[in-house]
Amino acid sequence: MNTLEEVNDFVHNGHQEYLPHISIDPVIFGYHQQQLKILLLKWKGLEGWGLPGGFIKRREPLSQAANRILQEKTSLSNLYLQQFHVFGDSPYRIRERSAREYKEKFNLDVDDDNWLLQRTLSIGYFALVDYSKVTVQTDFFTEDYQWWDVKEVPPLLFDQNEVVEKALLTLRRQIYHQPIGYNLLPEKFTLPEIHTLYETILGKELDQRNFAKKLIALGLIQKLNETRAIGAHRSPFLYQFEKENYEQALQVGIVHTY
Amino acid sequence: MNTLEEVNDFVHNGHQEYLPHISIDPVIFGYHQQQLKILLLKWKGLEGWGLPGGFIKRREPLSQAANRILQEKTSLSNLYLQQFHVFGDSPYRIRERSAREYKEKFNLDVDDDNWLLQRTLSIGYFALVDYSKVTVQTDFFTEDYQWWDVKEVPPLLFDQNEVVEKALLTLRRQIYHQPIGYNLLPEKFTLPEIHTLYETILGKELDQRNFAKKLIALGLIQKLNETRAIGAHRSPFLYQFEKENYEQALQVGIVHTY
DNA sequence: TCAAAAGTGTTAACGTTACACCCATGT
DNA sequence: ACATGGGTGTAACGTTAACACTTTTGA
């Protein structure tokens, strides 16, 4: 969506192609330099940053819509994607926005009953992606994008800070039942990497030895005969996930602590 | 909604009051005679049973809508109510239904573009209620209601069997993090009652002694100096929840097995 | 007095936690 | 050589899991 023609068509006729009143807002998690990050877009004409959301096509299955929206923004397919909550309580999402406000911000002429101005619920999804493989597409509405450390998320549009909070919370709870990491880390990774990842998600320190013991005891990771030289005094061993056990743990679910 | 006038108004003008394309479908759990049950409605003119769903008013917060719908059907307020998933993948929910089909089933004249015929996503909620306190309201669309053992749920409309399945799964997972029972049991209950409840939700046997020990050790329940005579050779002690610890466990969340 | 249900403790196995020193490498 | 980060084992503790008999009550 880059030409003015396309944008005008979307704004004025989009409701024929998309379902009104419902959007999908993905929280995209990536991991880089020992930090858990999320991908945010800067919307043109608006102050804040926001999630890379989108709408559902009228005959498109919901999960397919979520995948499509993610792919449009990040050029990634086959990522880990999971629905976690519907947001429909915030006053921002109830009071319809005015056409005037829209005109001022986007410089687009819209009627008062335009579909984009009406109340819209948001279905929250979170995605776990390999940071290094993401390439972001910007379009007419977005002027910039940036990865933000989850500890330093800026004020977001509407109630989207709440969306991010809840995504983190869900991730944190889920890690007690299912392994996480396959989608966030490169194929080969070091113990310190996955160790810090888990600490970051859980927001607490985990004993180095016990953590490694646990993952190996569960059969989730295996040591490779390679090391990676990453600077002074540092050449940790590489590990990779044991796909079979990992998949099984994902599906069956487990209950344990770290 | 009982008079023909009200029904016609809802069918033809409901989209002015309610958001189209989104419904709320509550799975209402109750517990009676050692069985976990859900409340289903028989829709007039349709073969199957279904969930007591409803729509969201245009300016109504989502969670308020869910509470209102539940109260309209069960006359209960202040119950435990939780969102768990949005359903939008099933082909039933994508193919728009035809006006002819609607006419045949409900004997109502509607246009092809009537809001009730269009694709509708469903937001799944589950409620935990005190079985003995529910009184069900039927209306024009519903001709009967019935509590069903979760082990014997009949074929439901659309993809609602999937909704029930997912509700149970969510409940089962949640019980590892938060206590459940306060909303399902009467104020005073016996050990065998809560024991069977947990066994039913988890779908597996739990050691009698260990189970009681655990709940008492966690400070969730306390023994009363009363017994209940419930038949031959049976007069178990009554217990009640320790509200403070219970609430705290609900909010903080815990990780444990049973 | 007999049948049915409720109540009650102990022990062994297992998993979790706490804890510190050596080794390899690059500067 | 030294500074930094990575790697590794053991012991105490707490939790879980397995197990059966006694008591009460009503018929």
Side-chain angles (χ1 to χ4, degrees), chain B residues 191-192 208-209 213 223 233-234 236-237:
Chain B
L191 267 191
Q208 198 184 168
R209 281 167 286 191
K213 249 185 298 178
K223 194 174 182 174
H233 332 293
R234 306 176 61 191
F237 279 98

Side-chain angles (χ1 to χ4, degrees), chain B residues 66-79:
Chain B
N67 274 289
R68 173 183 51 78
I69 290 166
L70 237 80
Q71 192 164 359
E72 283 171 5
K73 309 280 180 188
T74 65
S75 315
L76 280 179
S77 53
N78 264 339
L79 27 71

Side-chain angles (χ1 to χ4, degrees), chain A:
Chain A
M1 189 147 51
N2 284 302
T3 71
L4 196 57
E5 196 181 339
E6 280 173 335
V7 169
N8 262 306
D9 187 50
F10 172 76
V11 170
H12 294 107
N13 305 316
H15 62 286
Q16 286 165 16
E17 184 173 5
Y18 299 99
L19 292 176
H21 305 302
I22 319 170
S23 69
I24 290 180
D25 281 331
V27 179
I28 305 174
F29 289 104
Y31 188 60
H32 184 58
Q33 292 183 334
Q34 318 276 63
Q35 290 180 333
L36 188 66
K37 293 170 179 292
I38 64 173
L39 182 65
L40 296 177
L41 300 181
K42 183 84 170 64
W43 296 91
K44 234 173 239 166
L46 294 179
E47 281 310 302
W49 292 74
L51 298 170
F55 291 95
I56 304 159
K57 293 186 182 174
R58 287 193 167 253
R59 289 170 166 277
E60 181 182 41
L62 176 58
S63 55
Q64 195 172 313
N67 273 289
R68 173 182 54 75
I69 289 165
L70 238 80
Q71 194 165 357
E72 283 170 5
K73 310 278 181 190
T74 65
S75 316
L76 281 178
S77 53
N78 264 339
L79 27 73
Y80 185 92
L81 184 58
Q82 187 189 306
Q83 192 197 108
F84 66 93
H85 196 73
V86 187
F87 296 85
D89 276 346
S90 162
Y92 288 114
R93 297 201 172 275
I94 290 174
R95 177 181 53 81
E96 285 88 348
R97 287 164 271 173
S98 75
R100 189 170 134 268
E101 195 180 356
Y102 217 79
K103 166 76 176 168
E104 280 167 10
K105 291 191 169 156
F106 290 111
N107 195 28
L108 285 171
D109 282 311
V110 293
D111 295 332
D112 273 332
D113 62 349
N114 182 280
W115 72 293
L116 290 172
L117 298 181
Q118 293 177 18
R119 178 179 176 200
T120 302
L121 304 190
S122 159
I123 305 180
Y125 272 79
F126 70 85
L128 306 179
V129 307
D130 184 344
Y131 176 92
S132 64
K133 292 201 180 132
V134 174
T135 55
V136 177
Q137 309 283 339
T138 57
D139 64 14
F140 175 86
F141 288 104
T142 52
E143 65 183 28
D144 197 8
Y145 72 93
Q146 193 177 316
W147 287 96
W148 295 76
D149 188 328
V150 292
K151 286 172 188 150
E152 297 164 2
V153 176
L156 304 181
L157 300 175
F158 314 123
D159 58 350
Q160 291 186 358
N161 283 93
E162 192 191 329
V163 177
V164 171
E165 275 308 305
K166 184 100 182 177
L168 255 174
L169 212 99
T170 306
L171 192 60
R172 194 168 290 168
R173 172 158 294 188
Q174 191 153 325
I175 209 171
Y176 286 111
H177 289 279
Q178 297 176 340
I180 281 174
Y182 186 78
N183 309 274
L184 283 169
L185 295 169
E187 197 186 341
K188 297 172 178 181
F189 52 87
T190 67
L191 267 191
E193 276 175 348
I194 192 172
H195 178 220
T196 316
L197 171 61
Y198 272 65
E199 285 189 333
T200 308
I201 292 176
L202 289 168
K204 67 177 182 189
E205 293 194 356
L206 302 172
D207 183 272
Q208 198 183 169
R209 282 167 286 194
N210 295 336
F211 177 76
K213 249 187 297 178
K214 180 114 197 185
L215 288 196
I216 291 167
L218 288 169
L220 293 178
I221 61 174
Q222 62 188 174
K223 194 174 182 175
L224 299 175
N225 251 335
E226 313 167 48
T227 58
R228 182 198 291 163
I230 46 172
H233 332 293
R234 305 176 61 191
S235 48
F237 279 97
L238 289 173
Y239 285 74
Q240 68 183 13
F241 286 104
E242 293 202 33
K243 197 75 196 300
E244 261 185 50
N245 289 336
Y246 190 95
E247 286 299 328
Q248 202 201 328
L250 258 192
Q251 277 159 35
V252 174
I254 40 184
V255 182
H256 57 78
T257 58
Y258 284 101

Side-chain angles (χ1 to χ4, degrees), chain B:
Chain B
M1 189 148 50
N2 284 304
T3 71
L4 197 55
E5 196 181 339
E6 280 173 334
V7 169
N8 262 305
D9 187 50
F10 172 75
V11 170
H12 295 108
N13 306 318
H15 62 287
Q16 286 166 14
E17 184 174 5
Y18 298 99
L19 292 177
H21 306 301
I22 319 170
S23 68
I24 289 179
D25 282 332
V27 179
I28 304 172
F29 289 103
Y31 188 59
H32 185 58
Q33 291 183 335
Q34 317 276 62
Q35 291 178 333
L36 188 66
K37 293 171 182 289
I38 64 173
L39 182 64
L40 296 175
L41 299 180
K42 183 84 169 67
W43 295 91
K44 235 174 241 169
L46 293 178
E47 282 308 304
W49 291 75
L51 298 171
F55 292 94
I56 304 158
K57 292 186 183 174
R58 285 193 169 255
R59 289 170 168 277
E60 181 182 39
L62 177 58
S63 56
Q64 196 172 313
N67 274 289
R68 173 183 51 78
I69 290 166
L70 237 80
Q71 192 164 359
E72 283 171 5
K73 309 280 180 188
T74 65
S75 315
L76 280 179
S77 53
N78 264 339
L79 27 71
Y80 184 93
L81 183 59
Q82 188 189 305
Q83 191 197 107
F84 66 94
H85 197 72
V86 187
F87 297 84
D89 276 347
S90 159
Y92 289 115
R93 296 201 173 275
I94 291 174
R95 178 182 52 82
E96 284 89 348
R97 286 164 273 173
S98 75
R100 191 169 133 267
E101 195 181 356
Y102 217 79
K103 166 76 175 165
E104 280 168 9
K105 291 189 169 157
F106 289 112
N107 196 29
L108 285 171
D109 283 309
V110 293
D111 295 331
D112 274 333
D113 62 351
N114 182 280
W115 73 294
L116 290 172
L117 299 181
Q118 294 176 16
R119 179 180 174 196
T120 302
L121 304 190
S122 159
I123 305 179
Y125 272 79
F126 71 85
L128 306 179
V129 306
D130 185 343
Y131 175 94
S132 65
K133 291 202 180 130
V134 173
T135 55
V136 178
Q137 308 284 338
T138 55
D139 64 13
F140 176 87
F141 288 104
T142 52
E143 66 181 27
D144 197 8
Y145 72 91
Q146 192 176 314
W147 286 96
W148 295 76
D149 188 328
V150 292
K151 287 172 188 149
E152 297 164 3
V153 176
L156 304 181
L157 299 174
F158 315 124
D159 58 351
Q160 291 185 356
N161 283 93
E162 194 192 328
V163 177
V164 172
E165 276 307 306
K166 183 100 183 177
L168 255 173
L169 211 99
T170 306
L171 191 60
R172 192 168 291 169
R173 171 158 295 188
Q174 192 153 323
I175 209 172
Y176 286 111
H177 289 280
Q178 298 177 338
I180 282 175
Y182 186 77
N183 308 275
L184 284 168
L185 295 169
E187 197 185 341
K188 297 174 180 181
F189 52 88
T190 67
L191 267 191
E193 276 174 348
I194 193 173
H195 179 221
T196 318
L197 170 62
Y198 272 65
E199 286 189 331
T200 308
I201 292 177
L202 288 169
K204 67 178 183 188
E205 293 195 354
L206 301 173
D207 183 273
Q208 198 184 168
R209 281 167 286 191
N210 295 336
F211 177 77
K213 249 185 298 178
K214 179 117 198 185
L215 288 194
I216 292 167
L218 288 169
L220 292 177
I221 61 174
Q222 63 187 175
K223 194 174 182 174
L224 299 175
N225 252 337
E226 314 168 46
T227 57
R228 183 197 291 162
I230 46 173
H233 332 293
R234 306 176 61 191
S235 50
F237 279 98
L238 289 172
Y239 285 75
Q240 68 184 12
F241 286 103
E242 293 202 35
K243 197 78 195 298
E244 262 185 48
N245 290 336
Y246 190 96
E247 287 299 329
Q248 202 201 327
L250 257 192
Q251 275 158 36
V252 174
I254 39 182
V255 182
H256 57 79
T257 57
Y258 283 100

